[in-house]
Amino acid sequence: MKLRFLQEENDISEAQKKLASTLNERLKHNVVMKLSYRQPEGTKVNSVEVRCNQELYWYHEVIPSESDVTRLRHWNAFGVDIFENTTNPIVAEINSPVAGYDGRISGAFAYDLLNPNKLYLVHSGRFSGRKAADFTDRYKGIIEKVKGPNGYRDMVVVGELTSTCFYEKLLNFVDQVKCYKDSYQIKGVRVI
């Protein structure tokens, strides 16, 4: 595998559509629930319609980047618990720029230089401002160097979007993020 970040808006849009198609096949139900998330203007709590099953929920929206409100990002929020009368915790966000490359955004889509038809969802391992190594040192899965405009960056390979086992790999990633965040909450440090 020799990965490179997708940067063209059309390519990223197609990758997001593939992600949505795969998740819509596995997450059969629509549920309205409350999600809390940070926006450049502050924290928002919105009632949104998510796709879900008994294991996972997913929500997608195009929102402004926290670091630059003029740039948009695909916000893919994942969680494992659904509560009707309270705000639901987001376990992992796998965001990608709508166009270009932005190293401040932890998620991205990438393609394999050896097989350009293979598209991957990747994540830096950085959550809530913590160092990526805090998570990647514990991660049980593939970490690859992905080529971008400023050189290479170590990224967790969540999975190949068109693989028959992509959903299982995504669920494994979300579960590992949950365990990682839970370990910090137990120690008295809250990780959002």
Side-chain angles (χ1 to χ4, degrees), residues 89-178:
I90 296 170
V91 173
E93 295 179 26
I94 307 177
N95 307 322
S96 82
V98 167
Y101 172 80
D102 187 343
R104 297 169 292 192
I105 297 175
S106 294
F109 294 104
Y111 69 96
D112 189 342
L113 288 167
L114 303 175
N115 187 346
N117 293 325
K118 288 191 174 190
L119 298 176
Y120 295 85
L121 183 61
V122 297
H123 194 280
S124 69
R126 191 182 75 229
F127 298 97
S128 303
R130 291 194 173 275
K131 293 179 186 173
D134 289 349
F135 176 74
T136 58
D137 288 350
R138 302 166 193 213
Y139 181 69
K140 294 177 180 110
I142 299 170
I143 298 174
E144 286 285 329
K145 292 194 178 302
V146 181
K147 186 166 180 34
N150 303 321
Y152 288 88
R153 183 174 181 194
D154 287 335
M155 300 292 283
V156 169
V157 178
V158 176
E160 180 195 339
L161 292 173
T162 57
S163 167
T164 56
C165 62
F166 172 78
Y167 173 79
E168 288 74 17
K169 296 212 180 243
L170 172 66
L171 190 57
N172 175 54
F173 174 78
V174 172
D175 285 342
Q176 286 192 57
V177 172
K178 184 173 183 342

